[in-house]
Amino acid sequence: MSEAAHSHGYIHEKDDYLKRLRRIEGQARGLQKMVEEEKYCIDILTQVSAMTKALQSVALGLLNEHMDHCVLDAAKAGGPEAAIKLKEASDAIARLVRS
Amino acid sequence: MSEAAHSHGYIHEKDDYLKRLRRIEGQARGLQKMVEEEKYCIDILTQVSAMTKALQSVALGLLNEHMDHCVLDAAKAGGPEAAIKLKEASDAIARLVRS
Amino acid sequence: MSEAAHSHGYIHEKDDYLKRLRRIEGQARGLQKMVEEEKYCIDILTQVSAMTKALQSVALGLLNEHMDHCVLDAAKAGGPEAAIKLKEASDAIARLVRS
Amino acid sequence: MSEAAHSHGYIHEKDDYLKRLRRIEGQARGLQKMVEEEKYCIDILTQVSAMTKALQSVALGLLNEHMDHCVLDAAKAGGPEAAIKLKEASDAIARLVRS
C-alpha cells in the first residue's frame, strides 16, 4: 500500500468527495449565471447559503476521516507525531469554526 | 432605466462579482484536483476555509448592495413593500449567520 | 414619546429580551459549575453550542427590530442618515456572520 | 491520580476557564443592563459578537485539551473506545461549526 493510501483516509470515499465538489463547482457556475442574468439578490443569497453549507459538510467529512485515520494512526504509533497531528487538526478546526 | 437596473443594486459591480465567483469556481476545481491527487487532508481543509471566506464575502457584499438599493428604495416608497423587503433581508441574514 | 422609545425598536419586546439574556447568563453560570465539577468535556461543549445558538438568536432578533424601526425610519426620513444607518447595520451583520 | 483528573484534560487550566466563563457571565449581565437602559441596538450587537467570540474561544480551547488528553489516551489504549471518542469529538466539532 502506498504512503498516500496509508495516510489519507479520505481516499476511501474519493469518488464521493469528487462528486460533491463537482456539484459545488456547478453551484459556483450557477451563481455566475444568476449575476449575469441579474437575478434577484435574495435568491442569489439563498444559493450562496446552500453552497456554503455544502462546503462545510465536505470539510466536516474530510476532517472526520482525517481524525479517524491520520490522527488515530499517529496516536497509536506514539511519539511526537501524535501531538503534531493533533495541533494541525485543532488549527484546522479553529479555521472552520471561525470561517 | 430598466426595471432590473432599478431594483438590483449589485449590477453596478456586476463584473467584480463575476470575477470573484469565477475565482471561487476555480477554487472548487482546485479542491477536486487536490482530492484527485490525494493531497494532505489539512491542506485541503485550509483551501475549503479560504473558499468559504470568499463566498461569505460575496454574500455580505451582495447583501449590502441589496439593502442600499432595494430595501432603501422600498422604504422610501413606503407601503407594505418595505416590510416585505425587510423580512426577506432578515431571513437571508439569518441563513448567512447560521450557515 | 421619548427619543429612546422612538429610535430603539427592541424596547417593544424588552421583557422578552431580558428574559432570554437572563437565561443566557444562567447558562454561563451552569458552564462554570460544570468546569468546577470537572464534568465531561463533550457535555460542556454541547452546552456551549446551545448557549451560542441562544445568543445568535437574540442578535438576529435585535437586528430585525433595528432594521424594522431605526433603519426604516431613517430611510423614510431620507437624507444622509439612512445611508449611515444602513452602513452600521451592514457592519453589524458582517460581525455576526464572521463570529 | 483520580479518574476525573485522568480523563478531563481541561482541569489543568480549570482556573483559567473559570475566569473566562465568569467574564462571559459578566458580559451577559452587561447586555441585560444595555437592554434595560435602552442602549443603541448596534452597540448591543457589538457586545453580542464579542461575547460569541469569547464563547467560541473557550469551546476551541476545551476541544483542544479534550483531543490532547481523552482522545489521545483512548487512541493509545486502542480498542473500540478510541473510535467512540473520535465520533463524539467529530459530533461536537460539527455542532460548533454549525452554531
Side-chain angles (χ1 to χ4, degrees), chain C:
Chain C
M1 199 189 274
S2 76
E3 161 60 20
H6 169 69
S7 52
H8 298 166
Y10 66 85
I11 67 148
H12 299 296
E13 313 207 26
K14 201 167 153 173
D15 287 344
D16 179 52
Y17 282 110
L18 286 174
K19 210 164 78 179
R20 288 158 79 180
L21 287 169
R22 270 195 297 271
R23 208 180 302 134
I24 288 167
E25 185 195 337
Q27 287 175 298
R29 257 197 308 275
L31 284 171
Q32 289 166 61
K33 194 160 175 285
M34 290 180 93
V35 169
E36 194 67 78
E37 296 175 356
E38 294 169 23
K39 294 292 187 209
Y40 188 46
C41 219
I42 295 292
D43 294 333
I44 301 181
L45 289 175
T46 302
Q47 290 306 309
V48 172
S49 292
M51 191 175 155
T52 306
K53 271 186 195 301
L55 255 180
Q56 228 172 40
S57 170
V58 164
L60 289 170
L62 286 169
L63 183 69
N64 286 0
E65 294 197 55
H66 178 68
M67 297 209 303
D68 283 354
H69 296 93
C70 298
V71 177
L72 200 58
D73 289 351
K76 280 177 193 158
E81 188 66 7
I84 294 171
K85 291 288 179 204
L86 277 171
K87 179 75 178 70
E88 269 182 1
S90 289
D91 290 347
I93 292 164
R95 279 193 298 271
L96 287 178
V97 169
R98 286 178 177 140
S99 73

Side-chain angles (χ1 to χ4, degrees), chain A residues 7-68:
Chain A
S7 51
H8 298 166
Y10 66 85
I11 67 150
H12 299 296
E13 312 206 27
K14 200 168 155 173
D15 286 345
D16 179 53
Y17 282 109
L18 286 174
K19 211 165 77 181
R20 289 159 76 181
L21 288 168
R22 269 194 298 269
R23 208 179 302 135
I24 287 168
E25 185 195 336
Q27 287 176 297
R29 257 196 309 273
L31 284 170
Q32 289 166 61
K33 196 160 173 286
M34 289 181 93
V35 169
E36 193 68 76
E37 296 175 356
E38 293 168 25
K39 294 293 186 208
Y40 187 48
C41 219
I42 295 291
D43 294 333
I44 301 182
L45 288 175
T46 302
Q47 290 306 308
V48 172
S49 291
M51 191 173 156
T52 305
K53 270 187 195 301
L55 255 180
Q56 227 173 39
S57 170
V58 163
L60 289 170
L62 285 170
L63 183 68
N64 286 1
E65 294 197 55
H66 177 69
M67 297 208 303
D68 284 354

Side-chain angles (χ1 to χ4, degrees), chain D residues 12-70:
Chain D
H12 299 297
E13 313 207 27
K14 200 166 153 174
D15 286 344
D16 179 53
Y17 282 110
L18 286 174
K19 211 165 77 181
R20 289 159 77 181
L21 287 169
R22 270 194 297 270
R23 208 179 303 134
I24 287 167
E25 186 196 334
Q27 288 175 297
R29 257 195 310 273
L31 284 171
Q32 290 167 59
K33 195 161 174 286
M34 290 181 92
V35 169
E36 194 68 77
E37 296 174 356
E38 294 169 23
K39 295 291 185 208
Y40 187 47
C41 219
I42 295 292
D43 295 333
I44 301 182
L45 289 175
T46 302
Q47 290 306 309
V48 172
S49 290
M51 189 174 157
T52 305
K53 271 188 196 300
L55 255 181
Q56 227 173 40
S57 169
V58 164
L60 289 170
L62 286 170
L63 183 68
N64 286 0
E65 294 197 56
H66 178 68
M67 296 209 302
D68 283 355
H69 296 93
C70 297

